[in-house]
């Protein structure tokens, strides 16, 4: 087969397609001239020739004769267009005289040499374009690197000494708080250090949209933004602190809520009743699983705590009693789990202390959200896993003003000083959020005031019934005034006796019925008898008892309560309430039947006012504010539990990118507050691990771990197996 001289060697880098085509054609012409004789002999042979060869021969003869005539010499000149027309007639191809071969029909079969040339041309064009783009990109980079113009948008000034000191002071606020240094002092120092920098925060390394989103966030201030910009420019990413524990509950479609409290029915105390209602109404929505954890007392402790010598042989029996009591009052079937943890009763302070690590009785699979009722009480002697390490969200609810009780004891001022700082340490180290029922409690870290308690629905029903009877003309409140509460001096009995003794003549003829049991009952009755006060003492009873519905006035002079449940119940039943001007009563001031007195003389005036007129019926809004539905709604909002529960998987936050930016920012900042909190928790863990130190601070002996009787009652591993001691 004749060779048409297609040069398949790679062309030079800068050679174009047209140049390559011209060189190839010249090489073809040279070969054709060299073999012209052979081709002429072949074409003149007598053998029958194909139609294609006949056309080629005629074209060759025509071009040879015309070339000789035109040039006047014997040199052969081929007219390639004529040869192309011959090929076009055979295979339906077209020939471009200026641009080279051009194929019109892509589906027709190509001649092998022509197809190779086309493929080579395409490869050359592609390489030439790639090389040109690479050269252009390198030129741009070279010009950019040679530019010495400053770019303010990519340069972040380093932190100066004043900024470092200001940030250190700002992050050390928790430590200073433990040392008794007020937050205002630290804020003024930080402001003073920041103001010394002339171009303080003038540079904004973020885009306009990002900066506005940061500034619109109330949790960001300028110093944090400045630190974040510097860390961002260095590429630093904070992965977590020394105390962090990354192994936590994996968020599922339906969340788990564990409510841990310090008392249980049949002990009729606030920390036994209110958490029980909270669990019932949280579980009522069916949006989350709810578990209520209450202490289990051995039989010897039950006899000291529970009224009427009531005891239970097993946790199952006590759970049955609790459910029956609750469902009788709420009016619906409760759907939550009740579990128990070991506890011991402390006679001196009339309280239950957990025995062992309470958190171990909640499995890791369910350790999602924890609600600690009385977090300071639960964690005074807690020696176990840190709540905030095991749970994703921990909310503490402060029920009791412990400082007020402690101050009344011997050396109370010194004890109250230490307890105040221990409580603050616990709030910082073990809770993400703390809710205080009223301003009568200690101002703890991460805390806010909100009443998240409601009243038993039975009391609201009594109020509605009494209001209906009054409208029909019946006299439903024929009795006078009464006081109900646990008979200990701290529950308002001291204030009550002092007021009645001081204004004995002013309140001549005023009789007061007192209902309550307690360890100070003998002393209280003796004091009233000695002063010849007009007080009638009765045994304690449930506030919902029918015998109490006929009273019109509830007198409560207590100033040690945080939020008196009996006051809320009396208002729900439509009674007058005479109470002291105290932060514990702030929530009740908006109710028209709540008569608040400021002085002892005002107390006399309020009592006489309540005894001479009828109370107003509650409006629907006032009834709702006292209900557990409203209390649960307030709790969900102020504890941020509604946001936590809506943060599952595809439940994206409504704040969008701003939340992501805040999370990225917080993840890149080493938080001194977390380091301090972790250090405090570790120190507390070491302190509570010593039995000698525990006993020196008033702990019940043997509460570092549960005892053998607990293991038998609750079907637990023996304590020596659960917590073995090695080396003995």
């Amino acid at each position: 087969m004749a060779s048409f001289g297609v040069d398949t060697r790679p062309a030079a880098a800068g050679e174009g397609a047209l140049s390559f085509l011209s060189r190839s054609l010249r090489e073809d012409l040279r070969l054709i001239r060299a073999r012209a004789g052979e081709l002429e002999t072949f074409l003149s042979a007598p053998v029958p020739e194909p139609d294609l060869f006949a056309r080629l021969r005629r074209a060759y003869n025509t071009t040879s004769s015309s070339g000789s005539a035109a040039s006047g010499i014997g040199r052969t000149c081929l007219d390639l267009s004529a040869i192309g027309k011959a090929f076009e007639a055979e295979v339906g191809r077209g020939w471009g005289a200026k641009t080279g071969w051009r194929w019109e029909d892509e589906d027709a079969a190509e001649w092998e040499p022509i197809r190779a040339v086309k493929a080579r041309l395409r490869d050359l064009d592609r390489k030439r374009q790639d090389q040109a783009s690479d050269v252009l990109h390198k030129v741009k980079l070279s010009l950019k690197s040679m530019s010495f113009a400053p770019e303010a948008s990519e340069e972040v000034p380093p932190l100066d000494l004043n900024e470092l000191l200001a940030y250190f002071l700002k992050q050390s606020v928790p430590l200073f708080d433990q040392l008794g240094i007020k937050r205002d002092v630290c804020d003024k120092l930080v402001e003073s250090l920041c103001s010394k920098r002339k171009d303080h925060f003038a540079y904004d390394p973020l885009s306009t949209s990002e900066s506005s989103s940061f500034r619109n966030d109330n949790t960001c201030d300028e110093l944090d933004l400045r630190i974040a910009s510097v860390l961002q420019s260095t590429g630093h990413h904070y992965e977590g602190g020394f105390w962090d524990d990354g192994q936590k509950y994996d968020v599922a479609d339906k969340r788990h809520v564990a409510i841990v409290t310090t008392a249980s029915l049949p002990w009729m105390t606030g920390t036994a009743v209110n958490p029980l209602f909270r669990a019932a109404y949280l579980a009522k929505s069916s949006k989350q699983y709810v578990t209520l954890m209450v202490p289990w007392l051995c039989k010897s402790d039950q006899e000291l705590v529970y009224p009427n010598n009531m005891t239970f042989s097993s946790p199952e029996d006590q759970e049955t009693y609790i459910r029956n009591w609750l469902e009788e009052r709420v009016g619906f079937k409760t759907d939550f789990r009740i579990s128990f943890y070991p506890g011991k009763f402390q006679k001196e302070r009339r309280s239950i202390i957990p025995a062992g690590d309470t958190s171990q009785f909640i499995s890791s699979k369910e350790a999602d959200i924890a609600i600690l009722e009385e977090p300071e009480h639960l964690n005074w002697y807690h020696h176990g896993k840190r709540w905030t390490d095991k749970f994703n969200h921990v909310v503490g609810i402060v029920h009791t003003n412990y400082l007020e009780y402690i101050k009344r004891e011997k050396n109370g001022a010194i004890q109250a000083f230490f307890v105040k700082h221990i409580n603050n340490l616990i709030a910082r180290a073990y809770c993400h959020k703390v809710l205080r029922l009223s301003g009568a409690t200690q101002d703890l870290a991460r805390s806010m005031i909100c009443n998240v308690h409601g009243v038993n629905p039975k009391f609201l029903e009594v109020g509605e019934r009494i209001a209906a009877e009054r409208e029909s003309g019946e006299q439903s409140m024929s009795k006078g005034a009464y006081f109900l509460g646990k008979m200990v001096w701290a529950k308002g009995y001291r204030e009550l006796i002092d007021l009645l003794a001081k204004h004995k003549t002013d309140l001549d003829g005023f009789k007061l019925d007192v209902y309550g049991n307690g360890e100070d009952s003998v002393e209280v009755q003796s004091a009233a008898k000695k002063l010849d006060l007009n007080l009638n003492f009765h045994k304690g009873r449930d506030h919902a008892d029918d015998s109490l519905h006929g009273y019109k006035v509830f007198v409560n002079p207590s100033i040690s309560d945080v939020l008196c449940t009996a006051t809320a119940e009396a208002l729900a039943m439509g009674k007058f309430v005479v109470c002291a001007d105290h932060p514990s009563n702030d929530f009740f001031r908006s109710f028209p039947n709540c008569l608040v007195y400021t002085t002892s003389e005002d107390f006399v005036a309020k009592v006489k006012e309540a005894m001479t007129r009828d109370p107003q019926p509650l409006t629907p809004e006032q009834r709702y504010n006292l209900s557990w539905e409203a209390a649960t709604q307030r709790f969900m909002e102020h504890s941020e539990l509604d946001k936590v529960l809506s943060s599952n998987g595809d439940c994206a936050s409504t704040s969008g990118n701003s939340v992501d930016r805040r999370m990225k920012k917080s993840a890149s900042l080493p938080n001194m507050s977390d380091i301090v909190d972790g250090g405090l928790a570790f120190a507390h863990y070491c302190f509570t691990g010593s039995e000698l130190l525990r006993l020196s601070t008033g702990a019940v002996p043997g509460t570092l771990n549960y005892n053998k009787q607990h293991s038998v009652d609750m079907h637990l591993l023996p304590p020596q197996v659960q917590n073995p001691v090695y080396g003995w």
Side-chain angles (χ1 to χ4, degrees):
M1 180 178 177
S3 174
F4 281 81
V6 178
D7 188 4
T8 61
R9 294 173 299 172
E15 184 178 10
L18 294 178
S19 175
F20 172 75
L21 180 61
S22 176
R23 186 166 61 84
S24 300
L25 291 177
R26 286 197 301 271
E27 185 68 18
D28 290 342
L29 292 175
R30 185 183 65 78
L31 293 175
I32 290 174
R33 285 197 299 269
R35 298 177 182 178
E38 298 177 6
L39 182 61
E40 184 176 4
T41 302
F42 176 75
L43 293 175
S44 60
V47 181
E49 57 184 358
D51 186 49
L52 174 61
F53 285 177
R55 290 193 181 93
L56 288 175
R57 182 174 58 79
R58 287 193 297 270
Y60 174 77
N61 292 335
T62 303
T63 55
S64 298
S65 59
S66 61
S68 300
S71 59
I73 59 176
R75 186 177 62 180
T76 302
C77 295
L78 290 177
D79 186 0
L80 295 179
S81 62
I83 297 175
K85 291 178 180 180
F87 281 106
E88 181 181 5
E90 180 67 20
V91 296
R93 303 287 192 262
W95 188 271
K98 295 182 180 181
T99 60
W101 293 319
R102 177 172 58 84
W103 306 95
E104 297 293 336
D105 187 5
E106 295 295 339
D107 296 332
E110 291 182 333
W111 197 14
E112 184 65 27
I114 305 302
R115 186 166 59 251
V117 171
K118 289 179 62 180
R120 188 61 185 169
L121 289 176
R122 286 193 297 266
D123 292 340
L124 290 175
D125 286 337
R126 184 171 57 255
K127 290 181 179 180
R128 182 174 58 82
Q129 293 175 1
D130 294 341
Q131 289 174 354
S133 62
D134 292 340
V135 171
L136 181 61
H137 181 66
K138 292 179 180 179
V139 170
K140 288 182 179 180
L141 292 178
S142 300
L143 294 176
K144 188 175 182 180
S145 63
M146 291 187 295
S147 177
F148 295 99
E151 295 182 5
S153 62
E154 296 184 2
E155 294 180 359
V156 181
L159 297 172
D160 58 21
L161 181 60
N162 289 334
E163 289 174 325
L164 290 174
L165 288 176
Y167 188 70
F168 177 78
L169 286 174
K170 184 175 182 295
Q171 293 293 328
S172 301
V173 168
L175 179 61
F176 295 148
D177 188 31
Q178 292 293 329
L179 298 176
I181 301 175
K182 294 184 178 180
R183 185 182 296 268
D184 295 341
V185 177
C186 297
D187 293 341
K188 290 180 180 179
L189 289 175
V190 171
E191 184 179 357
S192 176
L193 289 171
C194 292
S195 62
K196 292 181 180 180
R197 193 172 190 267
K198 294 182 179 179
D199 56 342
H200 177 57
F201 305 139
Y203 172 76
D204 189 355
L206 303 173
S207 64
T208 304
S209 61
E210 291 177 332
S211 298
S212 61
S213 65
F214 271 122
R215 295 190 182 97
N216 291 337
D217 192 346
N218 295 329
T219 62
C220 275
D221 58 16
E222 293 180 340
L223 182 59
D224 286 336
L225 181 62
R226 168 76 173 131
I227 299 294
S229 65
V230 174
L231 292 176
Q232 181 180 357
S233 67
T234 62
H236 171 75
H237 182 77
Y238 180 64
E239 298 294 343
F242 178 76
W243 312 108
D244 292 348
D245 186 353
Q247 296 180 352
K248 289 188 178 182
Y249 169 88
D250 293 332
V251 175
D253 294 335
K254 194 171 182 180
R255 309 292 291 267
H256 289 262
V257 178
I259 303 175
V260 188
T261 187
T262 58
S264 174
L265 295 179
W267 190 11
M268 298 300 296
T269 184
T271 52
V273 175
N274 290 305
L276 185 60
F277 281 106
R278 194 184 328 280
Y281 281 89
L282 279 177
K284 188 178 180 181
S285 64
S286 300
K287 294 181 180 179
Q288 56 276 328
Y289 299 109
V290 178
T291 300
L292 175 65
M293 291 193 63
V294 297
W296 167 258
L297 300 178
C298 298
K299 195 169 184 178
S300 57
D301 284 338
Q302 294 181 29
E303 295 173 350
L304 298 174
V305 179
Y306 299 149
N308 303 323
N309 297 322
M310 188 179 300
T311 59
F312 303 95
S313 58
S314 67
E316 293 77 14
D317 293 341
Q318 188 170 2
E319 178 181 354
T320 302
Y321 173 86
I322 293 172
R323 288 194 184 277
N324 293 337
W325 184 93
L326 177 64
E327 293 177 358
E328 181 183 346
R329 285 156 177 79
V330 298
F332 58 84
K333 188 71 175 178
T334 57
D335 185 19
F336 65 93
R337 189 174 62 184
I338 298 177
S339 62
F340 294 81
Y341 66 88
K344 286 190 175 182
F345 181 66
Q346 188 179 39
K347 297 180 183 179
E348 294 78 14
R349 294 182 177 175
R350 299 288 302 176
S351 60
I352 298 174
I353 303 298
D357 179 12
T358 309
S359 65
Q360 69 176 316
F361 297 97
I362 304 174
S363 66
S364 299
K365 295 180 180 180
E366 299 177 356
D368 182 14
I369 300 169
I371 301 172
L372 306 183
E373 309 277 354
E374 291 196 319
E376 64 275 57
H377 186 159
L378 283 169
N379 293 287
W380 277 333
Y381 304 105
H382 174 71
H383 183 71
K385 196 173 184 63
R386 186 181 174 190
W387 293 96
T388 51
D389 286 344
K390 186 169 184 176
F391 290 82
N392 294 313
H393 190 63
V394 182
V395 181
I397 302 177
V398 180
H399 290 246
T400 308
N401 187 1
Y402 287 107
L403 299 182
E404 183 67 28
Y405 289 109
I406 293 174
K407 288 177 182 178
R408 303 186 182 196
E409 299 179 359
K410 185 179 180 180
N411 300 323
I414 299 177
Q415 295 184 57
F417 173 80
F418 288 105
V419 172
K420 174 183 177 182
H421 289 283
I422 291 296
N423 290 347
N424 203 39
L425 180 153
I426 291 172
R428 293 207 63 89
Y430 295 108
C431 297
H432 295 119
K433 193 81 174 177
V434 178
L435 299 180
R436 300 157 53 204
L437 297 180
S438 73
T441 56
Q442 179 184 346
D443 186 8
L444 298 173
R446 302 190 179 114
S447 68
M448 65 175 300
I449 298 174
C450 179
N451 175 21
V452 293
H453 285 179
V455 298
N456 186 334
K458 294 294 183 181
F459 294 105
L460 294 172
E461 295 176 4
V462 171
E464 293 178 355
R465 178 174 57 81
I466 291 177
E469 292 175 356
R470 188 180 304 163
E471 290 181 359
S472 62
E474 297 181 17
Q475 184 64 27
S476 56
M477 292 185 177
S478 57
K479 298 181 181 181
Y482 73 107
F483 175 60
L484 179 143
K486 185 179 180 181
M487 199 167 293
V488 293
W489 286 113
K491 284 292 186 179
Y493 286 90
R494 174 64 65 188
E495 291 80 5
L496 178 63
I497 289 179
D498 290 344
L499 286 170
L500 295 179
K502 183 177 181 180
H503 298 281
K504 186 176 180 180
T505 56
D506 297 331
L507 294 173
D508 187 25
F510 174 70
K511 296 181 180 181
L512 184 68
D513 293 334
V514 179
Y515 295 87
N517 300 322
E519 52 268 28
D520 295 335
S521 59
V522 176
E523 296 181 11
V524 171
Q525 295 182 39
S526 299
K529 185 177 181 180
K530 183 178 180 180
L531 295 172
D532 194 21
L533 300 179
N534 200 357
L535 295 177
N536 300 318
F537 291 94
H538 306 273
K539 290 185 178 180
R541 61 192 66 182
D542 193 336
H543 205 174
D545 192 273
D546 294 340
S547 62
L548 301 179
H549 295 172
Y551 287 98
K552 184 173 69 169
V553 182
F554 176 69
V555 178
N556 183 15
S558 175
I559 57 174
S560 63
D561 288 324
V562 171
L563 187 79
C564 184
T565 303
T567 298
E569 293 169 349
L571 289 173
M573 289 188 289
K575 304 178 186 296
F576 274 122
V577 172
V578 178
C579 58
D581 183 11
H582 190 259
S584 61
N585 297 317
D586 286 344
F587 178 79
F588 307 119
R589 291 178 184 271
S590 60
F591 293 86
N593 293 336
C594 182
L595 306 179
V596 180
Y597 65 89
T598 56
T599 63
S600 61
E601 290 77 13
D602 195 20
F603 169 77
V604 175
K606 298 299 183 183
V607 169
K608 290 182 178 180
E609 178 185 353
M611 296 298 293
T612 55
R613 66 183 183 92
D614 292 331
Q616 300 181 21
L618 294 177
T619 63
E621 181 181 0
Q622 292 169 350
R623 283 197 299 269
Y624 176 75
N625 290 336
L626 290 172
S627 68
W628 266 106
E629 287 84 359
T632 304
Q633 183 179 359
R634 292 192 297 266
F635 172 76
M636 295 288 290
E637 178 181 354
H638 291 90
S639 67
E640 299 181 355
L641 195 59
D642 53 350
K643 297 180 181 178
V644 174
L645 292 175
S646 63
S647 63
N648 297 355
D650 56 349
C651 297
S653 177
T654 56
S655 54
N657 294 332
S658 63
V659 173
D660 295 336
R661 296 190 186 99
R662 183 169 69 249
M663 293 175 63
K664 292 178 182 178
K665 171 179 174 291
S666 62
S668 65
L669 286 173
N671 197 332
M672 183 69 70
S673 177
D674 293 340
I675 297 175
V676 172
D677 294 345
L680 293 175
F682 181 73
H684 182 260
Y685 177 84
C686 295
F687 185 91
T688 56
S690 170
E691 184 68 18
L692 179 62
L693 293 176
R694 292 169 66 93
L695 294 177
S696 65
T697 55
V700 179
T703 53
L704 182 59
N705 296 305
Y706 57 82
N707 58 27
K708 186 177 181 179
Q709 187 61 44
H710 284 128
S711 64
V712 173
D713 294 343
M714 303 178 66
H715 308 291
L716 303 174
L717 291 174
Q720 64 271 19
V721 177
Q722 180 72 20
N723 300 283
V725 179
Y726 299 99
W728 294 88

